[in-house]
Amino acid sequence: MQVVRALTELRRTVEEWRRAGARIGFVPTMGALHEGHLALVRLARARADRVVVSIYVNPTQFAPHEDFARYPRDEAGDLAKLRALAVDLAYLPAHEDMYAPDHASWVMVEGPSEGLCSLTRPHFFRGVATVVAKLFHRVRPHFAVFGEKDFQQLRVVERMVRDLDMDVEVVPHPVVREADGLALSSRNVYLSPDQRRVAPALYRTLVETARLLADGRPAAPELAAATDRLRAAGFDRVDYLELRESATLRPLERIGPAVRGRLLAAAWLGGTRLIDNVPVPPDAPGAG
Ligand code: AMP
């Protein structure tokens, strides 16, 4: 596995692969790799001739009060995991090489980025869309794999690619979970043993609520009751718990016939914010 930090070296390698007709698969990550990330890498490995994984904790998607400085980092461990999966190239750009000091250009995606995580993280998707666009230009992949764990992010990236004519196929991967339902996340290491015991209530509550909403009843009272249950289970704050249409993320008051919904939530355990989502109806194909 090639470990590349310089853009010139990345470009040289990708150019050679493209000239040789290789199909390039890409998995962007912020590192601290767990089985959720590795499942995406395996999917890319199965579909590509060459696999690139980037590890970059992108500062522009964090607000000043957020956890950028303490975000978990484990470069040696990450590289060993990627080597074991026969990744061809790990791209670890230095911050100075990613953003010029006078960086001034941003990708703003409306529509799917509105509400949900933007309610409390208003600059988040601008940072995500911009860094993903930059990485796509650098890596020039034929396809890129994104996890449904970050469902709103997936929809934002899909919309950006379509609207800005990026020649990259966005391949979704279902949510990878612990045995008790908790979605794997690099941030789970922040949880105390007590918080870790409470955490699976997020997924459980989403699935229970998705089952209730599947019959088309009004969502608002069920969402309010589910929010109360999360608090009763031990969550300190619920940023949102909403029913949206799966494809567009437009808000839904209820599930209509032939409408695919997605129930999405963000909630806090102490200083740790967890997000999760499930399809509505819950047993629909692609269930996360
Ligand atoms: P991150 O390192 O958190 O930026 O995540 C990198 C990629 O891995 C994103 O596409 C995430 O959606 C995906 N990912 C993270 N956790 C999971 C999970 N538990 N299941 C599926 N995909 C995940």
Side-chain angles (χ1 to χ4, degrees):
M1 183 174 79
Q2 233 176 300
V3 178
V4 173
R5 294 171 202 275
L7 178 56
T8 45
E9 188 185 348
L10 176 74
R11 288 217 155 112
R12 203 180 321 117
T13 304
V14 166
E15 182 54 36
E16 275 169 27
W17 290 348
R18 283 200 159 244
R19 258 206 310 271
R23 181 167 169 78
I24 301 171
F26 177 43
V27 183
T29 81
M30 300 207 299
L33 300 180
H34 51 64
E35 275 302 316
H37 298 113
L38 300 184
L40 274 55
V41 174
R42 285 190 198 97
L43 177 61
R45 183 69 279 172
R47 291 185 175 206
D49 302 309
R50 299 288 189 175
V51 175
V52 178
V53 178
S54 64
I55 298 174
Y56 181 62
V57 185
N58 173 37
T60 66
Q61 68 194 64
F62 289 80
H65 62 275
E66 292 179 344
D67 59 343
F68 176 74
R70 69 179 185 119
Y71 193 84
R73 290 165 170 87
D74 177 18
E75 187 180 306
D78 289 348
L79 293 177
K81 289 172 188 162
L82 297 179
R83 262 189 208 103
L85 293 183
V87 165
D88 295 283
L89 191 154
Y91 179 45
L92 288 74
H95 180 57
E96 311 74 66
D97 190 38
M98 207 59 194
Y99 291 98
D102 56 351
H103 179 92
S105 307
W106 300 98
V107 181
M108 310 276 275
V109 181
E110 299 174 353
S113 76
E114 283 157 18
L116 304 175
C117 282
S118 289
L119 293 171
T120 51
R121 308 186 75 190
H123 301 296
F124 178 69
F125 289 112
R126 182 187 84 154
V128 168
T130 301
V131 82
V132 170
K134 285 167 69 66
L135 288 167
F136 281 0
H137 287 131
R138 290 172 176 221
V139 176
R140 296 178 61 212
H142 295 87
F143 71 91
V145 187
F146 287 83
E148 290 184 345
K149 154 85 177 7
D150 302 275
F151 198 79
Q152 190 178 16
Q153 169 176 287
L154 168 66
R155 290 292 184 252
V156 167
V157 171
E158 288 171 339
R159 188 68 68 89
M160 171 185 79
V161 162
R162 191 202 70 183
D163 289 351
L164 299 183
D165 311 308
M166 296 180 178
D167 193 12
V168 179
E169 181 194 354
V170 175
V171 177
H173 189 289
V175 185
V176 178
R177 301 182 179 282
E178 304 280 5
D180 60 11
L182 175 65
L184 267 61
S185 164
S186 304
R187 289 189 167 98
N188 290 352
V189 299
Y190 299 153
L191 299 173
S192 70
D194 280 345
Q195 291 168 339
R196 176 62 188 81
R197 273 190 286 278
V198 173
L202 181 58
Y203 175 61
R204 229 173 22 243
T205 305
L206 284 172
V207 171
E208 288 162 7
T209 311
R211 275 196 199 113
L212 294 173
L213 296 182
D215 66 9
R217 69 183 75 185
E222 302 303 339
L223 299 176
T227 304
D228 289 346
R229 286 210 301 286
L230 285 177
R231 291 211 191 89
F235 279 88
D236 298 288
R237 197 162 79 238
V238 180
D239 278 352
Y240 63 82
L241 199 177
E242 288 191 41
L243 178 65
R244 298 280 180 119
E245 191 196 20
S246 183
T248 60
L249 290 188
R250 75 180 167 88
L252 285 181
E253 285 174 12
R254 63 181 72 207
I255 290 287
V259 174
R260 302 276 319 260
R262 201 89 190 176
L263 197 55
L264 305 101
W268 291 80
L269 279 172
T272 305
R273 183 174 176 275
L274 301 181
I275 61 170
D276 204 348
N277 65 89
V278 299
V280 189
D283 52 353

PDB file of all heavy atoms in Angstrom, residues 27-31 34 36-37 40 71 145-150 153 173-177 183-186, ligand 1:
ATOM      1  N   VAL A  27     -12.834   5.872  -0.870  1.00  0.00           N
ATOM      2  CA  VAL A  27     -13.568   5.965   0.393  1.00  0.00           C
ATOM      3  C   VAL A  27     -12.964   7.106   1.215  1.00  0.00           C
ATOM      4  O   VAL A  27     -11.879   6.962   1.783  1.00  0.00           O
ATOM      5  CB  VAL A  27     -13.482   4.644   1.207  1.00  0.00           C
ATOM      6  CG1 VAL A  27     -14.325   4.756   2.478  1.00  0.00           C
ATOM      7  CG2 VAL A  27     -13.939   3.445   0.374  1.00  0.00           C
ATOM      8  N   PRO A  28     -13.662   8.259   1.280  1.00  0.00           N
ATOM      9  CA  PRO A  28     -13.167   9.347   2.126  1.00  0.00           C
ATOM     10  C   PRO A  28     -13.526   9.109   3.589  1.00  0.00           C
ATOM     11  O   PRO A  28     -14.674   8.736   3.883  1.00  0.00           O
ATOM     12  CB  PRO A  28     -13.895  10.595   1.590  1.00  0.00           C
ATOM     13  CG  PRO A  28     -14.996  10.122   0.717  1.00  0.00           C
ATOM     14  CD  PRO A  28     -14.858   8.638   0.513  1.00  0.00           C
ATOM     15  N   THR A  29     -12.580   9.320   4.490  1.00  0.00           N
ATOM     16  CA  THR A  29     -12.838   9.140   5.926  1.00  0.00           C
ATOM     17  C   THR A  29     -12.102  10.209   6.731  1.00  0.00           C
ATOM     18  O   THR A  29     -11.219  10.894   6.215  1.00  0.00           O
ATOM     19  CB  THR A  29     -12.339   7.773   6.460  1.00  0.00           C
ATOM     20  OG1 THR A  29     -10.918   7.857   6.709  1.00  0.00           O
ATOM     21  CG2 THR A  29     -12.605   6.639   5.491  1.00  0.00           C
ATOM     22  N   MET A  30     -12.472  10.273   8.018  1.00  0.00           N
ATOM     23  CA  MET A  30     -11.716  11.120   8.948  1.00  0.00           C
ATOM     24  C   MET A  30     -10.864  10.249   9.882  1.00  0.00           C
ATOM     25  O   MET A  30     -10.413  10.721  10.928  1.00  0.00           O
ATOM     26  CB  MET A  30     -12.658  12.003   9.756  1.00  0.00           C
ATOM     27  CG  MET A  30     -13.480  12.932   8.853  1.00  0.00           C
ATOM     28  SD  MET A  30     -13.998  14.450   9.661  1.00  0.00           S
ATOM     29  CE  MET A  30     -14.989  13.807  10.990  1.00  0.00           C
ATOM     30  N   GLY A  31     -10.655   8.992   9.512  1.00  0.00           N
ATOM     31  CA  GLY A  31      -9.767   8.141  10.309  1.00  0.00           C
ATOM     32  C   GLY A  31     -10.426   7.596  11.557  1.00  0.00           C
ATOM     33  O   GLY A  31     -11.647   7.592  11.671  1.00  0.00           O
ATOM     34  N   HIS A  34     -13.100   2.106  12.061  1.00  0.00           N
ATOM     35  CA  HIS A  34     -13.777   0.999  12.719  1.00  0.00           C
ATOM     36  C   HIS A  34     -14.417   0.126  11.644  1.00  0.00           C
ATOM     37  O   HIS A  34     -14.288   0.407  10.446  1.00  0.00           O
ATOM     38  CB  HIS A  34     -14.794   1.532  13.722  1.00  0.00           C
ATOM     39  CG  HIS A  34     -15.739   2.557  13.150  1.00  0.00           C
ATOM     40  ND1 HIS A  34     -16.635   2.266  12.144  1.00  0.00           N
ATOM     41  CD2 HIS A  34     -15.907   3.887  13.419  1.00  0.00           C
ATOM     42  CE1 HIS A  34     -17.335   3.332  11.835  1.00  0.00           C
ATOM     43  NE2 HIS A  34     -16.902   4.345  12.581  1.00  0.00           N
ATOM     44  N   GLY A  36     -17.320  -0.079  10.538  1.00  0.00           N
ATOM     45  CA  GLY A  36     -18.199   0.644   9.610  1.00  0.00           C
ATOM     46  C   GLY A  36     -17.405   1.152   8.414  1.00  0.00           C
ATOM     47  O   GLY A  36     -17.770   0.928   7.254  1.00  0.00           O
ATOM     48  N   HIS A  37     -16.296   1.821   8.690  1.00  0.00           N
ATOM     49  CA  HIS A  37     -15.420   2.290   7.600  1.00  0.00           C
ATOM     50  C   HIS A  37     -14.924   1.105   6.767  1.00  0.00           C
ATOM     51  O   HIS A  37     -14.882   1.162   5.539  1.00  0.00           O
ATOM     52  CB  HIS A  37     -14.187   3.004   8.160  1.00  0.00           C
ATOM     53  CG  HIS A  37     -14.463   4.237   8.953  1.00  0.00           C
ATOM     54  ND1 HIS A  37     -14.214   4.308  10.299  1.00  0.00           N
ATOM     55  CD2 HIS A  37     -14.939   5.447   8.591  1.00  0.00           C
ATOM     56  CE1 HIS A  37     -14.523   5.529  10.735  1.00  0.00           C
ATOM     57  NE2 HIS A  37     -14.963   6.228   9.723  1.00  0.00           N
ATOM     58  N   LEU A  40     -17.121  -0.243   4.122  1.00  0.00           N
ATOM     59  CA  LEU A  40     -17.113   0.586   2.907  1.00  0.00           C
ATOM     60  C   LEU A  40     -15.893   0.258   2.053  1.00  0.00           C
ATOM     61  O   LEU A  40     -15.966   0.180   0.820  1.00  0.00           O
ATOM     62  CB  LEU A  40     -17.084   2.073   3.274  1.00  0.00           C
ATOM     63  CG  LEU A  40     -18.406   2.802   3.546  1.00  0.00           C
ATOM     64  CD1 LEU A  40     -19.245   2.160   4.613  1.00  0.00           C
ATOM     65  CD2 LEU A  40     -18.158   4.277   3.855  1.00  0.00           C
ATOM     66  N   TYR A  71     -10.836  15.110  18.364  1.00  0.00           N
ATOM     67  CA  TYR A  71     -11.361  14.031  17.508  1.00  0.00           C
ATOM     68  C   TYR A  71     -10.341  12.892  17.497  1.00  0.00           C
ATOM     69  O   TYR A  71      -9.132  13.126  17.353  1.00  0.00           O
ATOM     70  CB  TYR A  71     -11.610  14.554  16.086  1.00  0.00           C
ATOM     71  CG  TYR A  71     -12.440  13.587  15.260  1.00  0.00           C
ATOM     72  CD1 TYR A  71     -13.831  13.593  15.329  1.00  0.00           C
ATOM     73  CD2 TYR A  71     -11.833  12.644  14.442  1.00  0.00           C
ATOM     74  CE1 TYR A  71     -14.592  12.688  14.607  1.00  0.00           C
ATOM     75  CE2 TYR A  71     -12.584  11.736  13.712  1.00  0.00           C
ATOM     76  CZ  TYR A  71     -13.962  11.760  13.801  1.00  0.00           C
ATOM     77  OH  TYR A  71     -14.708  10.862  13.091  1.00  0.00           O
ATOM     78  N   VAL A 145     -17.627   5.550  -2.123  1.00  0.00           N
ATOM     79  CA  VAL A 145     -18.570   4.888  -1.221  1.00  0.00           C
ATOM     80  C   VAL A 145     -18.823   5.783  -0.001  1.00  0.00           C
ATOM     81  O   VAL A 145     -17.866   6.277   0.620  1.00  0.00           O
ATOM     82  CB  VAL A 145     -18.038   3.515  -0.761  1.00  0.00           C
ATOM     83  CG1 VAL A 145     -19.107   2.763   0.030  1.00  0.00           C
ATOM     84  CG2 VAL A 145     -17.577   2.679  -1.950  1.00  0.00           C
ATOM     85  N   PHE A 146     -20.108   5.970   0.321  1.00  0.00           N
ATOM     86  CA  PHE A 146     -20.506   6.759   1.496  1.00  0.00           C
ATOM     87  C   PHE A 146     -21.485   5.948   2.343  1.00  0.00           C
ATOM     88  O   PHE A 146     -22.337   5.240   1.803  1.00  0.00           O
ATOM     89  CB  PHE A 146     -21.173   8.074   1.071  1.00  0.00           C
ATOM     90  CG  PHE A 146     -20.202   9.072   0.511  1.00  0.00           C
ATOM     91  CD1 PHE A 146     -19.811   8.990  -0.822  1.00  0.00           C
ATOM     92  CD2 PHE A 146     -19.653  10.063   1.306  1.00  0.00           C
ATOM     93  CE1 PHE A 146     -18.893   9.894  -1.340  1.00  0.00           C
ATOM     94  CE2 PHE A 146     -18.733  10.968   0.793  1.00  0.00           C
ATOM     95  CZ  PHE A 146     -18.349  10.880  -0.538  1.00  0.00           C
ATOM     96  N   GLY A 147     -21.382   6.056   3.657  1.00  0.00           N
ATOM     97  CA  GLY A 147     -22.221   5.282   4.558  1.00  0.00           C
ATOM     98  C   GLY A 147     -23.574   5.946   4.795  1.00  0.00           C
ATOM     99  O   GLY A 147     -23.667   7.169   4.909  1.00  0.00           O
ATOM    100  N   GLU A 148     -24.615   5.118   4.895  1.00  0.00           N
ATOM    101  CA  GLU A 148     -25.944   5.632   5.241  1.00  0.00           C
ATOM    102  C   GLU A 148     -26.018   6.070   6.700  1.00  0.00           C
ATOM    103  O   GLU A 148     -26.986   6.692   7.115  1.00  0.00           O
ATOM    104  CB  GLU A 148     -27.018   4.571   4.947  1.00  0.00           C
ATOM    105  CG  GLU A 148     -27.217   4.352   3.462  1.00  0.00           C
ATOM    106  CD  GLU A 148     -28.334   3.376   3.144  1.00  0.00           C
ATOM    107  OE1 GLU A 148     -28.792   2.647   4.055  1.00  0.00           O
ATOM    108  OE2 GLU A 148     -28.741   3.338   1.970  1.00  0.00           O
ATOM    109  N   LYS A 149     -25.008   5.748   7.477  1.00  0.00           N
ATOM    110  CA  LYS A 149     -24.926   6.259   8.852  1.00  0.00           C
ATOM    111  C   LYS A 149     -25.071   7.792   8.854  1.00  0.00           C
ATOM    112  O   LYS A 149     -25.739   8.356   9.714  1.00  0.00           O
ATOM    113  CB  LYS A 149     -23.578   5.838   9.448  1.00  0.00           C
ATOM    114  CG  LYS A 149     -23.025   6.717  10.543  1.00  0.00           C
ATOM    115  CD  LYS A 149     -23.590   6.319  11.858  1.00  0.00           C
ATOM    116  CE  LYS A 149     -23.033   7.099  13.041  1.00  0.00           C
ATOM    117  NZ  LYS A 149     -22.164   8.199  12.789  1.00  0.00           N
ATOM    118  N   ASP A 150     -24.421   8.430   7.885  1.00  0.00           N
ATOM    119  CA  ASP A 150     -24.519   9.886   7.723  1.00  0.00           C
ATOM    120  C   ASP A 150     -25.448  10.138   6.539  1.00  0.00           C
ATOM    121  O   ASP A 150     -25.020  10.524   5.456  1.00  0.00           O
ATOM    122  CB  ASP A 150     -23.131  10.475   7.501  1.00  0.00           C
ATOM    123  CG  ASP A 150     -22.199  10.141   8.649  1.00  0.00           C
ATOM    124  OD1 ASP A 150     -22.205  10.864   9.639  1.00  0.00           O
ATOM    125  OD2 ASP A 150     -21.494   9.105   8.563  1.00  0.00           O
ATOM    126  N   GLN A 153     -25.683  13.584   4.897  1.00  0.00           N
ATOM    127  CA  GLN A 153     -24.428  13.817   4.167  1.00  0.00           C
ATOM    128  C   GLN A 153     -24.443  13.076   2.824  1.00  0.00           C
ATOM    129  O   GLN A 153     -24.039  13.618   1.792  1.00  0.00           O
ATOM    130  CB  GLN A 153     -23.262  13.347   5.024  1.00  0.00           C
ATOM    131  CG  GLN A 153     -21.926  13.270   4.309  1.00  0.00           C
ATOM    132  CD  GLN A 153     -20.825  12.890   5.275  1.00  0.00           C
ATOM    133  OE1 GLN A 153     -20.434  13.706   6.091  1.00  0.00           O
ATOM    134  NE2 GLN A 153     -20.333  11.669   5.209  1.00  0.00           N
ATOM    135  N   HIS A 173     -23.632   2.684   1.321  1.00  0.00           N
ATOM    136  CA  HIS A 173     -23.456   1.441   2.082  1.00  0.00           C
ATOM    137  C   HIS A 173     -24.352   1.515   3.320  1.00  0.00           C
ATOM    138  O   HIS A 173     -24.377   2.536   4.009  1.00  0.00           O
ATOM    139  CB  HIS A 173     -21.987   1.271   2.502  1.00  0.00           C
ATOM    140  CG  HIS A 173     -21.712  -0.088   3.087  1.00  0.00           C
ATOM    141  ND1 HIS A 173     -22.180  -0.471   4.331  1.00  0.00           N
ATOM    142  CD2 HIS A 173     -21.044  -1.142   2.596  1.00  0.00           C
ATOM    143  CE1 HIS A 173     -21.801  -1.715   4.573  1.00  0.00           C
ATOM    144  NE2 HIS A 173     -21.111  -2.149   3.535  1.00  0.00           N
ATOM    145  N   PRO A 174     -25.086   0.415   3.641  1.00  0.00           N
ATOM    146  CA  PRO A 174     -25.968   0.435   4.836  1.00  0.00           C
ATOM    147  C   PRO A 174     -25.187   0.696   6.125  1.00  0.00           C
ATOM    148  O   PRO A 174     -23.967   0.511   6.181  1.00  0.00           O
ATOM    149  CB  PRO A 174     -26.572  -0.974   4.858  1.00  0.00           C
ATOM    150  CG  PRO A 174     -26.339  -1.558   3.515  1.00  0.00           C
ATOM    151  CD  PRO A 174     -25.137  -0.877   2.935  1.00  0.00           C
ATOM    152  N   VAL A 175     -25.917   1.101   7.157  1.00  0.00           N
ATOM    153  CA  VAL A 175     -25.304   1.376   8.458  1.00  0.00           C
ATOM    154  C   VAL A 175     -24.766   0.074   9.057  1.00  0.00           C
ATOM    155  O   VAL A 175     -25.470  -0.942   9.086  1.00  0.00           O
ATOM    156  CB  VAL A 175     -26.337   1.984   9.432  1.00  0.00           C
ATOM    157  CG1 VAL A 175     -25.655   2.371  10.748  1.00  0.00           C
ATOM    158  CG2 VAL A 175     -27.044   3.173   8.820  1.00  0.00           C
ATOM    159  N   VAL A 176     -23.542   0.116   9.544  1.00  0.00           N
ATOM    160  CA  VAL A 176     -22.956  -1.029  10.256  1.00  0.00           C
ATOM    161  C   VAL A 176     -23.143  -0.780  11.753  1.00  0.00           C
ATOM    162  O   VAL A 176     -22.822   0.306  12.253  1.00  0.00           O
ATOM    163  CB  VAL A 176     -21.461  -1.194   9.917  1.00  0.00           C
ATOM    164  CG1 VAL A 176     -20.852  -2.358  10.686  1.00  0.00           C
ATOM    165  CG2 VAL A 176     -21.281  -1.370   8.414  1.00  0.00           C
ATOM    166  N   ARG A 177     -23.676  -1.778  12.449  1.00  0.00           N
ATOM    167  CA  ARG A 177     -24.063  -1.606  13.850  1.00  0.00           C
ATOM    168  C   ARG A 177     -23.376  -2.605  14.769  1.00  0.00           C
ATOM    169  O   ARG A 177     -23.008  -3.699  14.338  1.00  0.00           O
ATOM    170  CB  ARG A 177     -25.589  -1.796  13.989  1.00  0.00           C
ATOM    171  CG  ARG A 177     -26.380  -0.840  13.151  1.00  0.00           C
ATOM    172  CD  ARG A 177     -27.889  -1.006  13.323  1.00  0.00           C
ATOM    173  NE  ARG A 177     -28.565  -0.013  12.493  1.00  0.00           N
ATOM    174  CZ  ARG A 177     -28.680   1.265  12.822  1.00  0.00           C
ATOM    175  NH1 ARG A 177     -28.226   1.680  13.984  1.00  0.00           N
ATOM    176  NH2 ARG A 177     -29.267   2.124  12.001  1.00  0.00           N
ATOM    177  N   ALA A 183     -25.085   2.284  16.158  1.00  0.00           N
ATOM    178  CA  ALA A 183     -24.323   2.497  14.923  1.00  0.00           C
ATOM    179  C   ALA A 183     -22.863   2.746  15.270  1.00  0.00           C
ATOM    180  O   ALA A 183     -22.554   3.542  16.173  1.00  0.00           O
ATOM    181  CB  ALA A 183     -24.896   3.687  14.160  1.00  0.00           C
ATOM    182  N   LEU A 184     -21.953   2.048  14.584  1.00  0.00           N
ATOM    183  CA  LEU A 184     -20.532   2.288  14.822  1.00  0.00           C
ATOM    184  C   LEU A 184     -20.181   3.729  14.463  1.00  0.00           C
ATOM    185  O   LEU A 184     -20.672   4.256  13.459  1.00  0.00           O
ATOM    186  CB  LEU A 184     -19.688   1.332  13.962  1.00  0.00           C
ATOM    187  CG  LEU A 184     -19.289   0.014  14.637  1.00  0.00           C
ATOM    188  CD1 LEU A 184     -20.514  -0.793  15.023  1.00  0.00           C
ATOM    189  CD2 LEU A 184     -18.404  -0.795  13.717  1.00  0.00           C
ATOM    190  N   SER A 185     -19.371   4.351  15.293  1.00  0.00           N
ATOM    191  CA  SER A 185     -18.947   5.729  15.046  1.00  0.00           C
ATOM    192  C   SER A 185     -17.608   5.947  15.739  1.00  0.00           C
ATOM    193  O   SER A 185     -17.372   5.417  16.826  1.00  0.00           O
ATOM    194  CB  SER A 185     -19.974   6.706  15.624  1.00  0.00           C
ATOM    195  OG  SER A 185     -19.414   8.004  15.729  1.00  0.00           O
ATOM    196  N   SER A 186     -16.749   6.742  15.102  1.00  0.00           N
ATOM    197  CA  SER A 186     -15.469   7.078  15.744  1.00  0.00           C
ATOM    198  C   SER A 186     -15.710   7.761  17.078  1.00  0.00           C
ATOM    199  O   SER A 186     -14.887   7.680  17.985  1.00  0.00           O
ATOM    200  CB  SER A 186     -14.647   8.005  14.840  1.00  0.00           C
ATOM    201  OG  SER A 186     -14.465   7.413  13.574  1.00  0.00           O
TER     202      SER A 186
HETATM  203  P1  AMP B   1     -16.193   9.555   8.945  1.00  0.00           P
HETATM  204  O1  AMP B   1     -14.827   9.045   9.171  1.00  0.00           O
HETATM  205  O2  AMP B   1     -17.036   9.601  10.175  1.00  0.00           O
HETATM  206  O3  AMP B   1     -16.202  10.860   8.162  1.00  0.00           O
HETATM  207  O4  AMP B   1     -16.916   8.508   8.003  1.00  0.00           O
HETATM  208  C1  AMP B   1     -16.377   8.158   6.765  1.00  0.00           C
HETATM  209  C2  AMP B   1     -17.395   7.352   5.999  1.00  0.00           C
HETATM  210  O5  AMP B   1     -17.711   6.172   6.739  1.00  0.00           O
HETATM  211  C3  AMP B   1     -18.716   8.108   5.776  1.00  0.00           C
HETATM  212  O6  AMP B   1     -19.206   7.811   4.481  1.00  0.00           O
HETATM  213  C4  AMP B   1     -19.587   7.518   6.852  1.00  0.00           C
HETATM  214  O7  AMP B   1     -20.970   7.581   6.542  1.00  0.00           O
HETATM  215  C5  AMP B   1     -19.113   6.089   6.882  1.00  0.00           C
HETATM  216  N1  AMP B   1     -19.456   5.445   8.153  1.00  0.00           N
HETATM  217  C6  AMP B   1     -19.088   5.797   9.399  1.00  0.00           C
HETATM  218  N2  AMP B   1     -19.646   4.988  10.320  1.00  0.00           N
HETATM  219  C7  AMP B   1     -20.408   4.101   9.638  1.00  0.00           C
HETATM  220  C8  AMP B   1     -21.269   3.025  10.010  1.00  0.00           C
HETATM  221  N3  AMP B   1     -21.451   2.672  11.276  1.00  0.00           N
HETATM  222  N4  AMP B   1     -21.900   2.344   9.022  1.00  0.00           N
HETATM  223  C9  AMP B   1     -21.733   2.686   7.725  1.00  0.00           C
HETATM  224  N5  AMP B   1     -20.942   3.694   7.311  1.00  0.00           N
HETATM  225  C10 AMP B   1     -20.296   4.398   8.247  1.00  0.00           C
END
